Amino acid sequence: QVHLVESGGGLVQPGGSLRLSCAASGSGLSINAMGWFRQAPGKEREFVAAITWSGDSTSYADSVKGRFTVSRDNAKNTVYLQMNSLKPEDTAVYYCAAARFLTQFQSSYGTWGQGTQVTVSS
């Protein structure tokens, strides 16, 4: 069973940067892709970015392209989300999730972390 733990959230000013981490642990890790999602207050959870475990493919939501970068460190079983040029509308709880293939659809992700709060405000 896979266990995911996010970290790195916090308060940052507009235009600032944060790097989120998602550490995966557990036996029988059969993860082929990791995704990042976010949920703002009063809104539905939405796709942000995803990466294959091999790192050869990535996918981004249009709203974060050019500002966010997803990467992974297989030796540490960790996926990262580097967030630059942050905007107030990026404020949300960010979740990482594991899937068997690269996809933007939440229903394909079977294991989720507990989430980490990102607040962009001056």
Side-chain angles (χ1 to χ4, degrees):
Q1 185 173 356
V2 177
H3 184 57
L4 304 176
V5 178
E6 302 99 334
S7 61
L11 173 64
V12 63
Q13 291 186 343
S17 298
L18 278 177
R19 189 178 79 157
L20 305 183
S21 300
C22 175
S25 62
S27 61
L29 291 178
S30 58
I31 302 170
N32 292 320
M34 294 288 292
W36 286 97
F37 294 80
R38 67 186 181 185
Q39 187 167 21
K43 295 186 177 181
E44 294 186 352
R45 190 163 56 187
E46 64 177 4
F47 171 77
V48 175
I51 186 169
T52 54
W53 201 246
S54 63
D56 58 354
S57 294
T58 57
S59 178
Y60 294 92
D62 289 343
S63 59
V64 305
K65 280 181 181 177
R67 300 188 299 122
F68 290 11
T69 302
V70 61
S71 62
R72 90 281 177 265
D73 184 335
N74 290 357
K76 296 182 178 179
N77 283 341
T78 299
V79 173
Y80 304 97
L81 184 67
Q82 178 66 44
M83 305 185 294
N84 299 328
S85 302
L86 282 161
K87 305 174 181 180
E89 51 263 43
D90 294 317
T91 295
V93 177
Y94 284 71
Y95 300 90
C96 67
R100 294 185 180 275
F101 54 91
L102 189 69
T103 177
Q104 298 187 4
F105 295 103
Q106 298 184 46
S107 58
S108 297
Y109 289 82
T111 301
W112 293 78
Q114 82 289 349
T116 184
Q117 176 71 45
V118 172
T119 302
V120 184
S121 176
S122 55

